[in-house]
């Protein structure tokens, strides 16, 4: 796998080899040998174990909790619920201002009162000396409920959908109603598509279960080893909850075993573990079960969409009306950008979008890779395919006919857009010339063969980040940043940026992350790490060079050339500081430090977005092609080949970037063909809470995925030229597969997942 991946990248002509080369993951060895420590692997002295008890009803109140048997069970230290939980000071604060509730509602508060908002809600936690004793204790807790009528059925309740509160408050909110051009243009369009699309609830199932080890090191000092996507956002949240100065809360997430948005929010199980640790006065470990992952850490919400698309007979879009209703909980309004790309992707003069949410008695959803954009792209890119077929125009041609050279939504030029290059590369690699317009025309024995495509886009969202860099006399470079690495290989990419900036060999560079005490970083989310932290790495490396330059130049003599050397031209080669293009100016780092009587130099540099943000529209783009075979008798679906091409700006780490694209394609195959969490509405309870019932792609389901990058820098977006990759890896994959299935069978399936029963 690694070998072929490397080869594939090395053979790729697009790739500018002089810039960044493929590097194995810097933490790969730690991960495969088990030396990497995850949140549930910190063996603190006195560690005890917590197991959650979940509600068995979807709505109502808890009448009574009988915890006597559990408390008497061997090894049980405490049974904690709303009856006896210590008060979380931040919870009390928010309750003191009922006249100003947060506009989007608020996260579920652990053990706050006796209300039950969904089936599977954590209502008690049992703490014991071992995991098994805690599990047994939890099985003995008896709860009596006062049941109320619940609503979990999306279809049955869709007419109760509402405009999100943030849009009511602010008509400019991205989830407010949007209109450009003629509102009624669809009615008069010569060719029309009018269709509804449904995406079921999809659940976060990363390899590592959500886990926290909570440790009160003192009465007012909290350390958590927590599976989160942001150490400092989590630090801020817990500092607020426990009314502590942020510096008293330490959040460690050195390794994260896969996260796709589930760690972008803090959840009740985390506070439950912190409460428990405080009450039993010992460090507490709490690991969710796979079943609990379905109800406790968010999910991609069930979403209904409707698209009305109008075009002229010669293929010019004249109208798109796109409506969406997404599910949320009764206590917290979750919204996402399902409709954003419809406003900017194609050159239709007339566009209306309308976003609504439906509050049900379920847990709060959260972003799940590509988030709303991936959901929206299923509808938009399916509709584009339907329209192209109606017009008898090749789907790529149709997209090119409606290509935009500037952003019609923000009315700004793109910083960069190389989507045409993606179309060209993908078309050739998938063998698009074999595709026939008429469905069912290409066969391979009993199998119907189809080709499909889908476009993806996601905002290049650079944020603020800071990096500390330290160079020692041996020429080792150490860097630190609070950012997490949920899997993309952040450390690897940052080492490559530092090596590229300084000339220092990658094996002499260390990038430490995942600790709230390191310099500033937000969440690893929204494809924003390389373009936020990368520039801070660059800035820190350049600041070190400036320090060295001054130090060298002040020695005078033959080294005076350093005073006027450009920062970019200063390089570190084999422990020597050099000026590019000059043979004479060379200084040994060790000698220089000795002369100046220092052992190391250090700096911390912050980097943030500049005014280009207001002058350009910044998006990454992707194109996904699929060849799909459908068995003509059984409806069995085989994805035979996937080709992905991304315009993500500069590709810093070709190997891990290709990994991300393959992972995104895999997620897209799951979305298109398998994933669906189903509630039994009689009980308001999920019936698909394991991998036997909730299917994700396995190796046999995923064909060879060919990955290509345009790899042209976008230096308007940020100094490293990267636009982000994580989301566009999945956005557009599901419609590419759905469109290929239509091309194979003539069946247009608008409700995911596309299972064989829908095709026969
Ligand atoms: Mo991603 S949905 O920003 O983890």
């Amino acid at each position: 796998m690694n070998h072929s991946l490397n080869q594939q990248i090395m053979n790729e002509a697009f790739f500018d080899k002089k810039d960044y080369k493929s590097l194995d993951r810097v933490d790969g060895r730690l991960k495969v040998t088990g030396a990497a420590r995850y949140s549930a692997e910190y063996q603190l002295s006195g560690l005890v174990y917590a197991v959650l008890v979940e509600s068995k009803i979807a709505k109502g109140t808890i009448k009574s909790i009988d915890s006597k048997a559990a408390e008497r069970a061997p090894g049980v230290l405490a049974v904690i619920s709303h009856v006896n939980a210590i008060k979380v000071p931040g919870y009390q604060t928010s309750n003191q201002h009922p006249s100003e509730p947060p506009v989007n509602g608020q996260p579920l508060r652990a053990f706050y009162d006796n209300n039950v908002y969904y089936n599977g809600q954590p209502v008690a936690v049992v703490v014991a000396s071992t995991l098994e004793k805690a599990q047994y204790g939890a099985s003995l807790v008896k709860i009596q409920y006062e049941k109320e009528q619940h609503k979990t059925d999306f279809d049955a309740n869709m007419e109760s959908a509402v405009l999100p509160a943030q849009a009511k408050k602010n008509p400019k909110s991205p989830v407010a109603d949007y209109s450009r051009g003629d509102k009624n243009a669809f009615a008069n369009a010569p060719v029309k598509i009018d269709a509804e699309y449904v995406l079921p609830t999809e659940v976060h199932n990363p390899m590592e279960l959500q886990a926290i080890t909570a440790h009160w090191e003192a009465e007012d000092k909290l350390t958590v080893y927590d599976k989160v996507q942001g150490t400092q956002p989590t630090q801020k949240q817990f500092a607020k909850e426990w009314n502590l100065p942020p510096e008293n809360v330490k959040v460690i997430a050195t390794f994260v075993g896969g996260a796709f948005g589930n760690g972008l929010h803090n959840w009740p199980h985390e506070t439950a573990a912190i409460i428990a640790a405080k009450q039993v006065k010992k460090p507490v470990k709490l690991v969710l079960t796979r079943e609990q992952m379905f109800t406790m850490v968010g999910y991609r919400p069930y979403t209904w969409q409707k698209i009305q698309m109008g075009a002229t007979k010669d293929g010019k879009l004249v109208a798109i009306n796109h409506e969406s209703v997404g599910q949320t909980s009764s206590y917290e309004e979750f919204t996402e950008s399902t409709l954003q790309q419809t406003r900017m992707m194609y050159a239709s003069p007339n566009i209306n979008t309308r976003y609504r949410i439906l509050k049900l008695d379920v847990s709060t959803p959260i972003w799940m890779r590509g988030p709303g954009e991936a959901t929206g792209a299923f509808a938009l890119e399916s509709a584009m395919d339907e329209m192209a077929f109606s017009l008898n125009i090749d789907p790529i041609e149709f997209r090119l006919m409606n290509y935009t050279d500037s952003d019609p939504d923000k009315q700004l030029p793109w910083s960069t857009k190389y989507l045409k290059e993606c179309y060209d590369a993908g078309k050739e690699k998938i063998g698009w010339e074999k595709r026939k317009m008429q469905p069912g025309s290409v066969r391979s024995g009993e199998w119907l063969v189809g080709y499909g495509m889908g476009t993806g886009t996601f905002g290049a969202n650079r944020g603020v980040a800071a990096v500390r860099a330290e160079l020692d006399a041996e020429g080792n470079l150490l860097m630190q940043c609070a950012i997490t690495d949920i899997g993309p290989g952040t450390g690897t990419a940052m080492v490559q940026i530092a090596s590229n900036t300084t000339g220092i060999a990658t094996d002499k560079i260390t990038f430490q992350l995942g600790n709230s005490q390191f310099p500033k970083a937000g969440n690893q989310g929204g494809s924003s790490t390389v373009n936020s932290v990368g520039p801070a790495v660059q800035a820190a490396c350049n600041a070190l060079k400036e320090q060295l330059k001054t130090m060298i130049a002040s020695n005078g003599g033959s080294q005076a050339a350093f005073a006027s050397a450009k920062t970019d031209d200063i390089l570190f080669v084999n422990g020597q500081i050099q000026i590019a293009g000059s043979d004479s100016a060379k200084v040994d780092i060790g000698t220089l430090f000795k002369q100046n009587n220092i052992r190391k130099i250090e700096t911390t540099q912050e980097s943030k977005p500049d005014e280009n943000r207001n002058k350009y529209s910044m998006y990454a783009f992707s194109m996904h092609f699929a060849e799909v075979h459908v068995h003509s008798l059984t409806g069995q679906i085989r994805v035979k080949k996937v080709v992905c091409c991304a315009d993500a700006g500069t590709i810093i780490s070709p190997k891990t970037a290709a990994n991300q694209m393959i992972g995104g394609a895999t997620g897209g195959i799951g979305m298109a063909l398998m994933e669906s969490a189903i509630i039994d509405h009689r009980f308001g309870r999920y019936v698909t809470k394991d991998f036997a019932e909730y299917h994700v792609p396995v190796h046999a389901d995923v064909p060879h995925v060919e990955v290509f990058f345009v790899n042209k820098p976008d230096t308007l977006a940020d100094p490293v030229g990267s636009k982000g990759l994580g989301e566009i890896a999945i956005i557009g994959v599901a419609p590419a597969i759905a469109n290929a299935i239509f091309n194979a069978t003539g069946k247009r399936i608008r409700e995911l997942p596309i299972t064989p029963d829908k095709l026969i």
Side-chain angles (χ1 to χ4, degrees):
M1 170 84 179
N2 277 345
H3 179 68
S4 68
L5 189 61
N6 265 330
Q7 283 225 316
Q8 179 189 318
I9 292 158
M10 288 315 187
N11 293 340
E12 177 40 45
F14 257 170
F15 201 76
D16 189 352
K17 293 182 194 68
K18 76 179 182 308
D19 273 345
Y20 288 99
K21 294 194 167 53
S22 278
L23 178 68
D24 289 342
R25 278 174 193 263
V26 294
D27 51 5
R29 182 174 293 271
L30 291 176
K31 286 187 171 178
V32 298
T33 57
R37 270 207 287 177
Y38 294 81
S39 299
E41 298 181 316
Y42 286 83
Q43 295 307 321
L44 307 180
S45 124
L47 185 70
V48 294
Y49 300 79
V51 168
L52 292 167
V53 178
E54 301 157 52
S55 73
K56 294 279 188 283
I57 62 162
K59 191 181 182 191
T61 49
I62 297 169
K63 270 203 303 202
S64 66
I65 298 189
D66 178 0
S67 57
K68 281 192 204 73
E71 280 158 8
R72 280 197 301 265
V76 170
L77 301 170
V79 180
I80 300 166
S81 67
H82 72 280
V83 177
N84 62 342
I86 50 163
K87 298 297 168 210
V88 177
Y91 287 174
Q92 302 311 307
T93 312
S94 54
N95 200 37
Q96 277 161 17
H97 304 283
S99 58
E100 298 170 42
V103 74
N104 296 330
Q106 64 181 320
L108 185 71
R109 290 169 287 179
F111 316 141
Y112 181 71
D113 57 24
N114 68 343
N115 285 313
V116 175
Y117 298 101
Y118 69 87
N119 204 321
Q121 173 182 324
V123 290
V125 65
V126 176
V127 189
S129 55
T130 69
L131 174 63
E132 293 75 12
K133 285 172 179 165
Q135 285 168 333
Y136 180 61
S139 77
L140 300 174
V141 177
K142 297 271 176 295
I143 303 179
Q144 301 286 321
Y145 300 95
E146 191 77 58
K147 253 200 237 176
E148 289 170 37
Q149 188 59 41
H150 63 259
K151 286 196 290 187
T152 55
D153 189 341
F154 186 98
D155 297 335
N157 291 285
M158 208 174 78
E159 70 280 7
S160 320
V162 294
L163 183 69
Q166 64 177 92
K168 270 183 221 147
K169 202 172 159 186
N170 171 18
K172 289 211 153 74
S173 153
V175 292
D177 291 359
Y178 169 90
S179 202
R180 80 166 175 256
D182 172 7
K183 267 197 161 166
N184 303 311
F186 174 71
N188 305 318
V191 184
K192 292 179 189 175
I193 294 293
D194 190 340
E196 295 179 16
Y197 304 86
V198 175
L199 189 111
T201 292
E202 292 176 358
V203 178
H204 281 289
N205 272 301
M207 201 149 44
E208 183 198 16
L209 299 163
Q210 217 85 7
I212 178 169
T213 305
H215 184 199
W216 286 94
E217 305 207 32
E219 194 56 34
D220 62 348
K221 256 185 116 191
L222 173 67
T223 296
V224 294
Y225 307 86
D226 198 1
K227 181 181 175 169
V228 291
Q229 289 175 242
T231 58
Q232 289 179 351
T234 299
Q235 175 191 42
K236 214 169 127 193
Q237 172 70 15
F238 292 158
K240 206 171 92 193
E241 275 187 15
W242 294 94
N243 198 18
L244 295 170
E247 61 272 19
N248 284 25
V249 178
K250 186 159 101 183
V251 180
I252 307 289
T254 312
F255 290 95
V256 174
F260 303 90
N262 48 319
L264 291 173
H265 188 296
N266 293 111
W267 303 101
H269 74 272
E270 296 168 79
T271 302
I274 299 169
I275 291 173
K278 191 126 190 140
Q279 279 183 245
V280 303
K281 298 186 165 50
K282 286 173 193 291
V284 167
K285 171 154 97 180
L286 194 158
V287 184
L288 294 190
T289 61
R290 185 57 70 183
E291 289 80 2
Q292 287 170 341
M293 293 291 287
F294 283 73
T295 48
M296 296 206 190
V297 291
Y299 52 90
R300 189 191 298 280
Y302 192 108
T303 302
W304 169 92
Q305 297 176 78
K306 177 176 168 145
I307 290 193
Q308 296 177 317
M309 185 178 276
T312 61
K313 290 201 169 116
D314 57 357
K316 282 276 175 205
L317 283 170
V318 293
I320 308 176
N321 298 335
H322 191 169
E323 273 182 80
S324 165
V325 180
Q327 160 179 323
T328 190
S329 66
S330 62
Y331 50 89
E332 190 175 15
E333 294 195 357
F334 172 76
T335 61
E336 56 184 350
S337 298
T338 313
L339 306 175
Q340 179 56 27
Q341 66 211 311
T342 299
R343 302 173 190 171
M344 47 63 75
M345 199 65 202
Y346 300 109
S348 172
N350 308 303
I351 287 187
N352 300 302
T353 68
R354 193 173 178 273
Y355 183 83
R356 297 291 180 271
I357 48 173
L358 176 60
K359 298 179 186 186
L360 295 173
D361 298 312
V362 294
S363 61
T364 307
I366 196 67
W367 300 284
M368 180 161 155
R369 199 173 192 176
E373 286 82 345
T375 304
F378 167 59
L380 179 65
E381 292 298 301
S382 292
M384 286 296 284
D385 198 72
E386 295 186 50
M387 181 58 94
F389 182 72
S390 296
L391 295 166
N392 198 28
I393 299 175
D394 176 272
I396 301 174
E397 282 308 305
F398 179 51
R399 283 167 175 83
L400 289 173
M401 290 166 126
N402 294 284
Y403 200 79
T404 58
D405 289 316
S406 63
D407 181 350
D409 168 34
K410 292 185 191 149
Q411 302 190 325
L412 290 172
W414 306 115
S415 53
T416 55
K417 180 182 181 184
Y418 299 109
L419 190 51
K420 281 181 184 162
E421 286 79 349
C422 293
Y423 291 146
D424 287 345
K427 207 169 143 174
E428 188 200 317
K429 301 292 171 191
I430 197 76
W432 194 251
E433 76 283 352
K434 285 178 280 182
R435 180 185 186 275
K436 301 272 180 288
M437 184 65 85
Q438 199 50 45
S441 333
V442 184
R443 274 182 169 256
S444 168
E446 290 186 330
W447 296 80
L448 302 163
V449 178
Y451 298 87
M453 60 174 289
T455 312
T457 186
F458 195 83
N461 300 318
R462 180 186 180 191
V464 183
V467 165
R468 177 176 174 273
E470 181 186 300
L471 180 72
D472 71 14
E474 284 74 50
N476 297 303
L477 177 63
L478 169 71
M479 293 178 293
Q480 294 173 321
C481 176
I483 194 73
T484 58
D485 176 10
I486 60 175
T490 300
T492 311
M494 296 308 136
V495 163
Q496 290 188 267
I497 291 171
S499 175
N500 191 280
T501 311
T502 58
I504 300 176
T506 52
D507 60 2
K508 298 201 81 169
I509 306 175
T510 307
F511 188 85
Q512 295 179 338
L513 46 63
N515 184 328
S516 61
Q517 293 182 315
F518 291 158
K520 187 181 181 97
N523 284 307
Q524 178 154 90
S527 305
S528 65
T529 301
V530 171
N531 53 7
S532 306
V533 182
V537 165
Q538 248 182 8
C541 289
N542 285 330
L544 289 181
K545 287 184 185 183
E546 287 297 324
Q547 284 187 33
L548 289 168
K549 214 168 92 169
T550 312
M551 212 187 288
I552 298 167
S554 69
N555 283 0
S558 64
Q559 308 305 354
F562 276 91
S564 56
K566 279 198 281 177
T567 310
D568 276 356
D569 289 341
I570 294 183
L571 290 176
F572 305 57
V573 182
N574 301 326
Q576 306 256 305
I577 308 158
Q578 304 181 356
I579 303 174
S582 157
D583 287 342
S584 57
K586 264 190 199 163
V587 178
D588 178 74
I589 296 179
T591 313
L592 178 72
F593 281 18
K594 209 174 266 169
Q595 281 166 357
N596 287 272
N597 208 14
I598 51 170
R599 287 165 58 188
K600 60 182 188 191
I601 57 168
E602 64 164 315
T603 184
T604 299
Q605 295 294 320
E606 187 175 284
S607 148
K608 55 180 174 232
D610 58 24
E611 73 285 354
N612 284 330
R613 292 272 123 189
N614 307 318
K615 297 188 199 154
Y616 297 91
S617 176
M618 301 176 179
Y619 284 90
F621 296 91
S622 63
M623 186 67 247
H624 306 278
F625 288 83
E627 180 189 328
V628 176
H629 294 195
V630 180
H631 196 275
S632 54
L633 301 173
T634 65
Q636 194 186 353
I637 305 158
R638 293 259 162 122
V639 181
K640 281 295 195 188
K641 190 173 175 183
V642 174
V643 175
C644 306
C645 187
D647 163 25
T650 307
I651 298 302
I652 304 294
S653 175
K655 190 174 181 183
T656 55
N659 266 174
Q660 275 211 76
M661 293 298 284
I662 293 167
T666 305
I669 290 170
M671 194 173 173
L673 304 180
M674 293 154 205
E675 297 189 51
S676 173
I678 293 164
I679 294 177
D680 180 338
H681 297 299
R682 292 173 300 170
F683 309 105
R685 192 174 180 85
Y686 282 104
V687 291
T688 51
K689 298 219 292 184
D690 56 39
F691 288 144
E693 302 294 336
Y694 184 92
H695 292 179
V696 295
V698 297
H699 268 285
D701 299 313
V702 183
H704 179 58
V705 178
E706 271 188 71
V707 178
F708 299 91
F709 298 113
V710 176
N711 194 31
K712 289 192 181 163
D714 186 338
T715 46
L716 291 168
D718 62 87
V720 299
S722 163
K723 297 199 284 184
L725 193 64
E727 324 298 328
I728 56 166
I730 189 170
I731 302 169
V733 177
I737 293 168
N739 294 341
I741 289 172
F742 174 78
N743 184 240
T745 63
K747 295 210 166 86
R748 177 63 66 182
I749 309 301
R750 301 187 184 90
E751 180 166 1
L752 297 180
I754 306 174
T755 43
D757 55 298
K758 295 180 181 169
L759 296 174
I760 50 173

